[in-house]
């Protein structure tokens, strides 16, 4: 049999919403574990991007603050760029540098796993404007 899971059911936990008998001799094949991942281990690099709309043209961005945990030689970097149209952004730059004024602020957090597998963690990100 083949079962389909609707992830929106059961308070977002997911629930089987359809089951189909594939018949004798059926051997379904997939390239992974059906989660969409074909990795055999966690990735060594990753990014998280968020775009914040201040709803005010040429907004002055004062501070970008965050709390992180970087065990071992893992790293976490935060970069930011701004835009007045939400499409064309300034060059991403280290968040400790002044960020150009703009209605939108794009923040990109990059994560790099340590050589012994330790993962960095971003606990909190605060945008002050």
């Amino acid at each position: 049999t083949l079962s389909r899971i609707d992830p929106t059911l059961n308070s977002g936990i997911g629930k089987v919403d359809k089951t189909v008998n594939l018949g004798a001799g059926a051997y379904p094949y997939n390239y992974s574990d059906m989660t969409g991942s074909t990795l055999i281990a966690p990735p060594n690099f990753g990014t998280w991007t968020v775009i914040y709309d201040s709803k005010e043209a040429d907004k002055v961005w004062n501070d970008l603050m965050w709390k992180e945990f970087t065990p071992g030689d893992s790293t976490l970097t935060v970069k930011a760029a701004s835009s007045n149209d939400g499409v064309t952004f300034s060059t991403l730059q280290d968040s400790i540098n002044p960020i150009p004024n703009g209605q939108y602020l794009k923040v990109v957090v990059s994560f790099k796993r340590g050589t012994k597998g330790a993962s960095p963690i971003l606990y909190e990100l605060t945008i002050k404007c």
Side-chain angles (χ1 to χ4, degrees):
T1 63
L2 177 72
S3 297
R4 179 178 72 181
I5 299 172
D6 183 341
T8 64
L9 298 177
N10 198 19
S11 301
I13 295 172
K15 183 177 179 182
V16 173
D17 68 344
K18 186 173 187 174
T19 301
V20 177
N21 185 345
L22 298 177
Y27 298 101
Y29 179 80
N30 68 43
Y31 288 101
S32 70
D33 59 3
M34 299 297 250
T35 64
S37 176
T38 58
L39 300 174
I40 59 171
N44 288 322
F45 302 93
T47 59
W48 174 66
T49 303
V50 63
I51 297 176
Y52 175 76
D53 181 356
S54 71
K55 310 237 187 283
E56 182 182 320
D58 294 314
K59 181 71 175 171
V60 176
W61 302 103
N62 293 322
D63 287 315
L64 196 57
M65 300 177 301
W66 64 94
K67 292 181 184 176
E68 66 181 60
F69 175 61
T70 50
D73 60 347
S74 66
T75 60
L76 183 149
T77 59
V78 179
K79 295 190 178 227
S82 62
S83 169
N84 267 322
D85 63 9
V87 177
T88 306
F89 284 83
S90 63
T91 302
L92 281 169
Q93 56 188 332
D94 291 329
S95 58
I96 57 171
N97 294 327
I99 300 164
N101 298 351
Q103 178 174 336
Y104 299 89
L105 183 69
K106 178 195 293 187
V107 179
V108 178
V109 182
S110 298
F111 303 84
K112 181 180 178 196
R113 183 180 298 280
T115 53
K116 295 186 178 182
S119 295
I121 300 170
L122 176 66
Y123 288 111
E124 181 178 308
L125 178 71
T126 304
I127 300 169
K128 283 192 162 188
C129 51

